[in-house]
Amino acid sequence: WPCSPLEAKYGVYYDRTIAHAQSALGGHGPAPLMQDLDRIHQILTGIGAVLRIVNGNAVVKDQYDPEDPNSMPPLCEATEGMLTAMAAAVCEQLADGIEKQAGAYNKEASE
């Protein structure tokens, strides 16, 4: 199925690199971690963009002139709050996932 460029996966590891890591070590290699790192990279890139938007909004607020029709209005505080809350929730979800996976790996290594 064709997908929009906004839906495409942009990983830092090539699919063939992950496949090689998977096949080279019989499925017990770094491939799952590489896939996780790819996802973490995508998430961090998005969070960085969100935080830059919120930070840049302060500049827009300072420069906004309500009497100038060409002046761009800033995002409202509620929108800023939603963006930062989303970024925090994604960070917490990512940390929870890493902790869960680490627990599984630690359990497997201690058996």
Side-chain angles (χ1 to χ4, degrees):
W1 295 83
C3 69
S4 158
L6 297 175
E7 296 174 301
K9 178 184 172 214
Y10 297 103
V12 290
Y13 293 103
Y14 299 139
D15 289 339
R16 67 178 181 268
T17 304
I18 294 172
H20 174 74
Q22 184 73 22
S23 65
L25 296 168
H28 297 306
L33 292 175
M34 294 166 80
Q35 291 168 329
D36 290 343
L37 287 173
D38 253 357
R39 185 71 182 131
I40 291 167
H41 177 265
Q42 291 172 338
I43 291 168
L44 290 175
T45 300
I47 291 171
V50 166
L51 295 177
R52 289 191 186 281
I53 289 168
V54 171
N55 189 52
N57 196 49
V59 174
V60 175
K61 281 181 188 176
D62 286 345
Q63 296 180 351
Y64 177 59
D65 179 0
E67 295 179 17
D68 180 357
N70 295 321
S71 182
M72 183 171 75
L75 297 173
C76 69
E77 289 183 21
T79 300
E80 281 187 344
M82 287 186 274
L83 287 169
T84 55
M86 178 193 64
V90 169
C91 289
E92 291 163 358
Q93 182 181 25
L94 187 58
D96 289 347
I98 291 169
E99 289 170 12
K100 182 178 177 182
Q101 194 168 36
Y105 286 141
N106 290 337
K107 181 180 178 184
E108 184 178 318
S110 64
E111 292 177 355

